[in-house]
Amino acid sequence: MRRDPADIPNNTVEALDLQAQKLSEKIGLPVIILARPGTYGSSGNHAKRRQRAEFMAVDAALTSLRERYGMQNFILSGHSGGATAAAAILTLGRQDIRCAILTSGAYGLLERAERLRVIRGEKSQGDKDINGLANPYDPLEHISGIVADPKRHILIIGNLQDRVTPFDLQVKFATALRAKGHWVSLIEWPAVAPQFHQLKSSPLRQNLQQCEL
């Protein structure tokens, strides 16, 4: 949000097309890089992220792609806020998600925000998320909306020392999913110090084989 667009790595259509093409060649599947509102040239205000409207927009984009290209199923993968978005899409009742690979996702959004405020020495705002907004759409609170599918594998991947999206909240999300009967794998993964939020190598490529394709 606070950077000049020209300073954001890979922030061009050409760069993202190339990234999608290379990943597609490596995994042997079509790849679509879907920007969240307010990122990578997509319209919207990124300061208002993790509100229901953001996830409804992403959900509508998937429906549009499905209708335009005749897609039958999707594998969702996202990192950090992208993982939260993918998790939120699951809660909206879609029946065309074959697998979800979620890395370093943010769940328990109000609790997470309070923890980060303590670290930063900021005053408590228990009813606001880290953006200062009330009523964030927290996938952890909407698990009942996920359609039961015994063939859908949900992989939650993170690092124990993550200082941005606490790993114990990722565990909490995984536990809640399992309690509802969903097929979930919780995987610890090496990450980059000192934040331990960006994961090393490629968790998506290395775990894709766990999706039933």
Side-chain angles (χ1 to χ4, degrees):
M1 285 190 303
R2 299 174 180 85
R3 297 173 67 177
D4 188 302
D7 293 334
I8 300 173
N10 300 316
N11 194 34
T12 66
V13 172
E14 294 79 10
L16 290 173
D17 279 348
L18 181 60
Q19 183 178 336
Q21 179 183 340
K22 287 183 176 180
L23 181 56
S24 178
E25 292 170 353
K26 288 177 180 177
I27 66 176
L29 293 169
V31 171
I32 297 169
I33 297 176
L34 182 60
R36 297 159 62 200
T39 64
Y40 289 113
S42 176
S43 62
N45 185 347
H46 193 53
K48 296 182 179 179
R49 62 194 180 278
R50 302 193 185 96
Q51 294 289 301
R52 182 179 178 86
E54 174 186 24
F55 304 135
M56 294 300 292
V58 175
D59 181 63
L62 289 176
T63 297
S64 179
L65 288 166
R66 179 184 174 95
E67 293 173 351
R68 181 180 301 181
Y69 298 108
M71 295 178 177
Q72 296 301 308
N73 295 289
F74 294 100
I75 296 171
L76 298 182
S77 180
H79 176 73
S80 192
T84 309
I89 296 305
L90 284 170
T91 72
L92 297 178
R94 297 193 71 97
Q95 300 184 51
D96 55 4
I97 307 301
R98 177 67 63 86
C99 187
I101 300 176
L102 314 175
T103 63
S104 302
Y107 316 102
L109 298 179
L110 295 182
E111 182 177 354
R112 169 181 177 259
E114 281 292 271
R115 293 188 194 181
L116 292 178
R117 289 189 188 102
V118 170
I119 293 171
R120 297 172 183 177
E122 300 172 356
K123 68 177 182 179
S124 172
Q125 297 185 76
D127 61 340
K128 302 287 179 63
D129 67 7
I130 201 62
N131 306 311
L133 300 176
N135 304 312
Y137 190 92
D138 190 341
L140 185 57
E141 303 299 326
H142 296 277
I143 288 175
S144 61
I146 303 177
V147 174
D149 182 350
K151 294 184 178 180
R152 185 204 304 115
H153 196 177
I154 302 173
L155 293 85
I156 298 174
I157 305 174
N159 187 275
L160 284 167
Q161 301 180 71
D162 193 327
R163 298 180 182 178
V164 179
T165 55
F167 189 71
D168 67 298
L169 295 179
Q170 298 177 51
V171 173
K172 188 175 183 179
F173 183 56
T175 301
L177 287 169
R178 286 172 176 160
K180 290 292 185 179
H182 298 290
W183 179 18
V184 180
S185 293
L186 181 64
I187 302 170
E188 296 178 31
W189 201 265
V192 180
Q195 295 292 82
F196 298 98
H197 182 62
Q198 301 296 331
L199 303 184
K200 295 181 179 180
S201 62
S202 177
L204 167 60
R205 292 209 312 270
Q206 295 187 44
N207 288 281
L208 190 62
Q209 71 274 11
Q210 297 198 49
C211 295
E212 290 195 359
L213 307 179

